[in-house]
Amino acid sequence: PTTQSPTERPTTQSPTDRPTTQSPTDRPTTQPPTDRPTTSTPTASPTVDVCVEILPQGCCRTADNGHGVSEIINVSNLALCKYECSLRPGMCFGIEYASETGVCELHKNDASFNHTEHEDPNCEDERCFQCATMSPTVSPTARPTTEAPTDRPTTQSPTDRP
C-alpha cells in the first residue's frame, strides 16, 4: 500500500508574555436606558409549567367567594411566582400575584379557581392563574419473566382470525 505524508502542517504560534488587548476608543461603552428593571428569571425547571390566567383580572376566589388555602411568599416578578409553584407539583394548583407588592400566593388546592374578584379595590393589581404542574414521569420497568427450561417444545394456542 502506498501512503502519502500530509502536505499542510497546522499553523502554531509560540506563547507570549503579553496579554491580548484591544485598541482604546474615544467613547465609553454604554447601553441605552430602559423603563424596565433588570430581573433574573429561572433558567431551568424540574417540572413543566402550564398556567392559564382566570379573567377578568382580579383575586382568585372559591365558589363561595372564599380565598382558598395558600402559602404567601414575596418574589420580584410574575415569572418567579409561577416558577415557585412549579417547584411544588401536587401541592400548588395555581397562583395569585400582585405586581405592585411582589406578593405571590401559592394556592394549595384547585377550589380557589372558580372565579375572580375584580370589584374589590384590593384586587385591582392582582392576577389569578390556575396552573398544572406535572413532574416528569418515569415509566415502570417490567422484569422479564423466566421459566425453568424444559425438554418440550414451546407451543402457542391458535388465534381466532376474522
Side-chain angles (χ1 to χ4, degrees):
T2 306
T3 59
Q4 295 179 343
S5 59
T7 57
E8 293 184 26
R9 290 186 171 175
T11 305
T12 59
Q13 295 177 340
S14 44
T16 65
D17 294 333
R18 292 179 292 163
T20 305
T21 59
Q22 294 180 341
S23 304
T25 62
D26 297 325
R27 295 179 296 168
T29 304
T30 59
Q31 292 182 339
T34 63
D35 320 340
R36 293 189 279 172
T38 303
T39 58
S40 60
T41 55
T43 55
S45 173
T47 58
V48 175
D49 172 33
V50 180
C51 295
V52 176
E53 185 167 14
I54 308 297
L55 296 173
Q57 183 174 324
C59 297
C60 302
R61 293 292 181 255
T62 62
D64 61 356
N65 288 323
H67 293 257
V69 180
S70 64
E71 173 187 350
I72 297 175
I73 62 172
N74 289 303
V75 295
S76 59
N77 60 49
L78 176 60
L80 287 172
C81 188
K82 289 179 181 180
Y83 178 70
E84 287 294 327
C85 185
S86 75
L87 294 176
R88 298 161 172 82
M91 297 177 2
C92 182
F93 293 85
I95 62 161
E96 181 178 311
Y97 180 69
S99 60
E100 288 180 12
T101 60
V103 171
C104 173
E105 293 182 16
L106 304 171
H107 286 269
K108 296 184 176 190
N109 60 42
D110 61 356
S112 301
F113 308 102
N114 183 270
H115 65 280
T116 58
E117 168 62 56
H118 57 281
E119 293 179 13
D120 181 340
N122 293 324
C123 295
E124 287 177 1
D125 180 49
E126 306 285 326
R127 294 176 69 189
C128 178
F129 292 83
Q130 186 170 13
C131 302
T133 54
M134 300 158 280
S135 296
T137 56
V138 178
S139 31
T141 56
R143 285 186 174 175
T145 56
T146 57
E147 296 178 5
T150 64
D151 292 334
R152 291 179 285 167
T154 305
T155 58
Q156 295 181 345
S157 59
T159 58
D160 293 329
R161 293 188 181 167

